[in-house]
Amino acid sequence: MKLKTHRKVKVLSCFLVLCLVISCSKKQAPATSLLPVKVSPVLQKKIIQWDEYTGRFEATQRVEVRARVSGYVQKVHFKDGQMVKEGDILYTIDKRPFTIALKEAKAAYDQSLAEYKQAEENFKRVKSLRESGAVSIEEFDRRKQAMIGGQARSEVARAAIDRASLNLGFTTVKAPLSGRISRDMVNAGNLIDGGSSNGSLLTTIVSIDPIYFYFEGSEADFLKYAKLNREGKRGGSRQTPNPVEVRLLNEEDFVHKGNMNFVNNEISSNTGTIQARAVFDNPDHVLEPGMFGRARLLGSGEFNAILVPDKLIATNQTVKFLYTMGTDSVIRTTPVSLGTLYKKKYRVITEGLKGDEILVLDNLQKLQAEMKVSPVTEALHFTETEN
C-alpha cells in the first residue's frame, strides 16, 4: 500500500516539474519580430513621354559617278575614302581625240559659213534683178533656197562645235556634290564606256552633313500622334519639326539631336508600319550612312505621370506587379500596366495605381501577400539632373 502511494507521489512530482519547465519556456521565448521594410508614396510628376524606335542612317544624297564620254582614264585625282567638295576634279580622260574632234567641227563650221555667205551674195544679186524682171522666177527661187540651205548647214556646224566642246569638257570628271567618296573603281589606264546609265561606274559619293535617319512606326503609333495633333497636345511631324534623339550601339545616352522632316504618305499593307525620317547635323562626320541607331521621338504632350523605380517591378508569369502596403502595414500585390522608361530609372505606370499607394522599396525577395511588416518611411525623390 505504501509502495503504490510512493509511486503516485513520484509521478505527480514529475508532472509538476514538466509543467513548470513548459511554463518557464513559454515565458522566456521572445515574440516573433516583424520584417522591417522601407516604404514610400509613389512619385508623381509632370513629364513629356518619348517613344523609342530602331532605324538606320542614310545619306541625304548618293551619286554614282559615271563618265559622260568614253575613253582612256588618264589620271585619278583623289584618295580612296576622302572628303571631296562639289566641283573637285576626280578623273581626267584622255583629251586628244576630243580636241581633234573640236578642231574638225570648227573647220566644218568655217566651210559651211563660207558657203552660206556665197549663197547669200548670189541671192542678193538676183533679188535686185528680179524686181526689173531680168531673172526668171525659177532662178530666183533656186538661189533663195541655196541661201536658206547654206544658213541651216552653218547652224548645224555651229551645233557640232558646241557638242565637241562639251565632250572635251566632259573629259574632266568633277564631283557633282560635296561628301565622302568611295574607292576608285576604275584605275588610270583603263578604257571606260560613258554617255549612258550603263556606262562604267567610276566611284560613288555620299553626302553626310546633314544626314538622314529612317525608321518605321506602327499604325497604332500613327493614330496616337494624329489624335495628339488634333487635340493640340503635340504637332504632327509632317508639319512640325518634332525633336528626335539618337544613340549609337556604343552609347548609353541619346546624345545626337535632330528633328523630324518627313513622314511617308501611306501605311504599308504588308507590315502595317509607316516610314518616317529625321535629319541630323553631322559636322564632325561621326554619323555614317548605314549605321544602326536607337531613336526616341517626342511621344506626348506634358502630362501628370505616376513613376516608380523600374527595379521594384516584379513578374508573376506574364503579370507585372508591385508590392504595396496598406494602412494596416499588410503587404499587397498590385498588378500594373507599364509605360515607357523615363530617365533610365523610372517606369511610367499607365494602369493599376491611383497615386495614393505606398510602395515597398526593399526586402522584396522576402515579401509575401498578406504579410504584416514593420515600415520605415523613406520618400522617393527625383532630380532633373538624372539621365
Side-chain angles (χ1 to χ4, degrees):
M1 184 70 179
K2 291 182 179 180
L3 181 60
K4 289 182 178 181
T5 303
H6 179 72
R7 287 180 178 176
K8 287 181 180 180
V9 172
K10 187 176 181 180
V11 171
L12 181 60
S13 299
C14 291
F15 176 74
L16 292 173
V17 171
L18 179 61
C19 290
L20 181 62
V21 171
I22 292 173
S23 177
C24 293
S25 298
K26 287 182 178 180
K27 290 180 180 179
Q28 293 175 0
T32 304
S33 59
L34 298 177
L35 178 68
V37 293
K38 294 178 182 179
V39 297
S40 170
V42 297
L43 181 64
Q44 297 189 62
K45 179 177 175 59
K46 286 186 178 292
I47 67 169
I48 294 176
Q49 192 166 327
W50 295 78
D51 296 333
E52 295 192 8
Y53 300 93
T54 298
R56 288 191 181 275
F57 287 97
E58 290 188 18
T60 52
Q61 292 179 286
R62 183 183 186 277
V63 174
E64 293 182 345
V65 180
R66 301 177 191 270
R68 304 283 292 273
V69 293
S70 301
Y72 283 95
V73 177
Q74 194 171 54
K75 188 175 181 180
V76 179
H77 296 270
F78 66 90
K79 294 181 179 180
D80 295 351
Q82 78 174 68
M83 296 296 296
V84 296
K85 295 182 179 180
E86 182 178 353
D88 286 353
I89 297 176
L90 305 179
Y91 291 88
T92 299
I93 298 172
D94 187 4
K95 299 177 182 291
R96 291 173 298 177
F98 301 95
T99 302
I100 294 171
L102 179 59
K103 290 180 180 179
E104 290 177 345
K106 287 181 177 180
Y109 172 72
D110 291 341
Q111 182 179 358
S112 64
L113 186 61
E115 292 174 351
Y116 165 63
K117 295 296 184 183
Q118 181 64 44
E120 187 179 32
E121 292 297 327
N122 291 338
F123 175 70
K124 287 179 180 180
R125 284 193 291 269
V126 298
K127 184 178 181 181
S128 59
L129 295 175
R130 175 72 184 88
E131 294 174 354
S132 62
V135 65
S136 66
I137 296 176
E138 290 80 2
E139 181 64 18
F140 176 83
D141 289 342
R142 186 181 66 79
R143 293 195 180 188
K144 181 179 179 180
Q145 292 301 322
M147 181 192 69
I148 294 174
Q151 183 181 17
R153 285 189 291 275
S154 67
E155 291 177 354
V156 170
R158 177 72 249 183
I161 290 176
D162 293 340
R163 181 171 59 252
S165 178
L166 197 61
N167 287 339
L168 180 60
F170 287 155
T171 58
T172 300
V173 181
K174 298 181 179 181
L177 57 88
S178 299
R180 189 176 299 281
I181 198 166
S182 180
R183 65 183 180 87
D184 60 317
M185 299 180 183
V186 178
N187 307 124
N190 284 286
L191 178 64
I192 60 171
D193 294 325
S196 71
S197 59
N198 296 322
S200 302
L201 177 62
L202 304 180
T203 188
T204 60
I205 302 175
V206 292
S207 177
I208 58 176
D209 183 24
I211 192 169
Y212 287 145
F213 182 83
Y214 283 91
F215 61 95
E216 293 187 350
S218 67
E219 183 176 350
D221 288 341
F222 179 81
L223 293 174
K224 181 186 76 170
Y225 299 144
K227 181 180 179 182
L228 290 171
N229 185 32
R230 290 194 302 270
E231 295 173 349
K233 297 178 180 178
R234 173 193 179 275
S237 292
R238 285 192 174 120
Q239 304 84 25
T240 306
N242 287 315
V244 179
E245 300 175 353
V246 167
R247 64 177 176 85
L248 304 179
L249 286 175
N250 65 336
E251 295 172 339
E252 294 294 330
D253 299 324
F254 293 83
V255 296
H256 307 283
K257 315 294 183 181
N259 298 94
M260 291 292 298
N261 79 330
F262 167 75
V263 177
N264 211 349
N265 60 355
E266 61 181 354
I267 295 174
S268 171
S269 58
N270 294 326
T271 63
T273 59
I274 187 167
Q275 189 183 63
R277 183 180 72 198
V279 61
F280 291 79
D281 290 331
N282 189 30
D284 51 3
H285 305 153
V286 170
L287 306 175
E288 294 277 352
M291 272 186 176
F292 169 91
R294 185 70 177 170
R296 63 181 185 184
L297 167 66
L298 184 65
S300 72
E302 191 176 58
F303 69 100
N304 192 39
I306 296 176
L307 303 172
V308 301
D310 194 49
K311 64 181 181 180
L312 300 183
I313 298 170
T315 303
N316 183 6
Q317 295 182 349
T318 60
V319 178
K320 303 291 184 180
F321 67 92
L322 292 164
Y323 285 110
T324 60
M325 187 190 74
T327 55
D328 54 359
S329 299
V330 173
I331 297 298
R332 295 175 177 83
T333 57
T334 305
V336 292
S337 296
L338 308 182
T340 58
L341 194 63
Y342 184 71
K343 296 290 185 180
K344 296 173 61 176
K345 181 177 178 181
Y346 300 94
R347 180 67 64 176
V348 177
I349 303 301
T350 58
E351 293 180 5
L353 297 182
K354 297 178 181 179
D356 57 355
E357 290 83 1
I358 302 297
L359 294 176
V360 181
L361 305 181
D362 64 353
N363 286 327
L364 302 182
Q365 295 83 2
K366 301 177 182 179
L367 297 179
Q368 296 179 3
E370 305 303 323
M371 177 181 181
K372 193 165 186 177
V373 294
S374 175
V376 177
T377 301
E378 184 180 293
L380 291 172
H381 63 279
F382 175 85
T383 59
E384 289 296 336
T385 57
E386 293 186 59
N387 290 322

